[in-house]
């Protein structure tokens, strides 16, 4: 829908999710709407990128299940310490997709224990409302800290089935618990004018148009002018041959400029 969202500052005061309010505060303080996606295989590379790019991002997105040398002590503990040092949130991109009882276990248990350290996670809407209830129950059981869930309402990949009625029904599902389900992974603004869903958008790149495996890239300005609140950038910043600090600054500046232009 064609709605110009309010400023991050005003949404920081009114959003129904405590986690979203904390996120907007970080964005305003650091003047960044950039989330860097850290799809790397080694913990040393992961932590080094987090420490060097930390000043430019509001959120780091992880796929901890691709880290070859993962251990809780050597990855999660330093990552949490760096999130305090650089004031960012952590988003484990787990894409839960099972029944409530199973996702609750996957969120809280195993070697990753995601709910203990990841402020944000995401889930497919496919299983219906039980997936939200299960994750919310897991969060309540394990921690008093703010936690938030994004539903995948649209995907960046070519031929995605998450369109039309599926997207609309995903938005309707999120309405059931806006204290926890604070927004969407999506390509466009979603919801009614009086609603405030945070839109985080992957498939953003300033150089490439695709990756040969179905990923499709739009520019930062296309995403933000279309209603994205936070752009998610992976290989555009940390891909082979790139200078991650220079690229992080470039995407941060582009994202903030597009946001300011949208407010006018
Ligand atoms: O629709 C989506 C949803 C997600 S979360 N499309 C995506 O690409 N993602 C994730 O964003 C994907 O799992 C990857 O971690 C990141 C995009 O990485 P990039 O290198 O293509 O920017």
């Amino acid at each position: 829908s064609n709605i110009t969202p309010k400023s991050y500052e005003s949404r920081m005061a009114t959003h129904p999710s405590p986690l979203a309010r904390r996120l907007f505060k970080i964005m305003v303080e650091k003047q960044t709407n950039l989330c860097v996606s850290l799809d790397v295989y080694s913990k040393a590379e992961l932590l080094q990128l987090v420490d060097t790019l930390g000043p430019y991002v509001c959120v780091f997105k992880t796929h901890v299940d691709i880290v070859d040398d993962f251990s809780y002590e050597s990855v999660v503990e330093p990552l949490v310490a760096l999130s305090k040092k650089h004031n960012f949130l952590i988003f484990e991109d787990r894409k839960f997709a099972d029944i409530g009882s199973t996702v609750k276990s996957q969120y809280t248990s195993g070697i990753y224990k995601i709910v203990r350290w990841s402020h944000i996670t995401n889930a497919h809407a496919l299983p219906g409302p039980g997936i939200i209830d299960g994750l919310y129950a897991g969060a309540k059981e394990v921690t008093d800290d703010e936690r938030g869930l994004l539903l995948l309402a649209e995907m960046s990949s070519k031929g995605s089935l998450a369109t039309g009625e599926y997207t609309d029904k995903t938005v309707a599902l999120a309405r059931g618990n806006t204290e926890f389900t604070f927004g969407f992974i999506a390509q466009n603004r979603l919801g009614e004018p009086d609603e405030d869903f945070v839109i985080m958008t992957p498939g953003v790149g300033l150089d490439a148009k695709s990756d040969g495996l179905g990923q499709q890239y739009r520019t930062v300005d296309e995403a933000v002018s279309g209603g994205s609140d936070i752009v998610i950038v992976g290989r555009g910043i940390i891909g082979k041959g790139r200078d991650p600090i220079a690229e992080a600054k470039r995407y941060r500046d582009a994202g903030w400029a597009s946001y300011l232009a949208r407010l006018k």
Side-chain angles (χ1 to χ4, degrees), residues 112-245:
Y112 301 119
K113 305 178 200 345
I114 294 164
V115 72
R116 291 203 197 170
W117 52 271
S118 185
H119 306 99
I120 301 168
T121 194
N122 54 357
H124 289 290
L126 186 76
I131 193 167
I132 301 173
D133 297 342
L135 293 169
Y136 190 56
K140 289 277 139 199
E141 203 171 283
V142 172
T143 178
D144 294 327
D145 290 349
E146 300 98 336
R147 292 290 179 260
L149 177 69
L150 299 167
L151 294 180
L152 286 124
E154 295 172 325
M155 291 196 72
S156 59
S157 39
K158 194 169 173 25
S160 165
L161 306 183
T163 61
E165 196 186 352
Y166 182 92
T167 301
D168 294 343
K169 287 188 167 177
T170 302
V171 175
L173 265 190
R175 292 189 175 115
N177 183 351
T178 54
E179 192 187 316
F180 183 53
T181 310
F182 70 101
F184 302 104
I185 296 289
Q187 297 294 315
N188 299 286
R189 180 117 225 115
L190 296 170
E192 297 299 323
D194 62 340
E195 293 179 305
D196 185 355
F197 290 112
V198 177
I199 307 296
M200 292 187 65
T201 305
V204 173
L206 293 171
D207 303 317
K209 284 277 145 234
S210 58
D211 72 350
L213 289 174
Q215 178 67 298
Q216 305 175 113
Y217 292 111
R218 295 188 302 157
T219 66
V220 173
D221 197 57
E222 284 169 326
V224 174
S225 65
S228 172
D229 295 309
I230 296 176
V231 292
I232 300 174
V233 183
R235 285 165 287 182
I237 291 175
I238 66 162
K240 248 201 169 76
R242 296 200 190 272
D243 174 347
I245 293 182

